[in-house]
Amino acid sequence: MTDSDKYKTATALQYDGKQAPTVTARGHGQLADDIIALAQQHGVLVHQDDELSRLLSQLELGEQIPPQLYIVIAELIAFSYVLQGKFPQNWHNIHQRVDFKS
């Protein structure tokens, strides 16, 4: 295990579309690797950001993200939806910047 592996962290969030995302799993080192691998096996998109990971690792299991992280997490959720081809029913591609052909 390298030094960078020892300090690797992972935090899983769950979002129900109604309340702020909630921490559902978190871990360091090998447990972080296991969380990431499990997420990838189930088709969950994984975002890697050292600073965001540091902030999220301070939260307890079951705790909602703080308001200070709402915008960044909302942007990541919205981007993950676009990557998966999911759009709100009332969304209109008025600038034709999203290619629907995949």
Side-chain angles (χ1 to χ4, degrees), residues 5 8-11 26-37:
D5 289 339
K8 179 186 275 186
T9 64
T11 303
R26 65 182 196 148
H28 302 279
Q30 183 59 49
L31 183 54
D33 289 336
D34 293 345
I35 291 168
I36 293 167

Side-chain angles (χ1 to χ4, degrees), residues 2 5-6 10 12 24 26 31 38 40 42 44 47-49 64 71-72 83 85 87 95 98 100:
T2 66
D5 289 339
K6 275 193 272 187
T24 56
R26 65 182 196 148
L31 183 54
L38 187 60
Q40 292 172 333
H42 290 278
V44 174
H47 178 73
Q48 296 180 14
D49 180 306
Q64 291 182 342
I71 291 174
V72 69
L83 290 176
F87 300 93
H95 299 292
V98 177
F100 289 99

Side-chain angles (χ1 to χ4, degrees), residues 11-16 19-26 54-70 73:
T11 303
L13 300 176
Q14 181 177 10
Y15 178 59
D16 65 7
Q19 297 183 346
T22 303
V23 175
T24 56
R26 65 182 196 148
R54 185 187 68 74
L55 293 169
L56 290 173
S57 71
Q58 297 174 28
L59 302 176
E60 297 297 325
L61 288 176
E63 188 175 354
Q64 291 182 342
I65 63 166
Q68 296 89 333
L69 294 179
Y70 284 2
I73 298 298

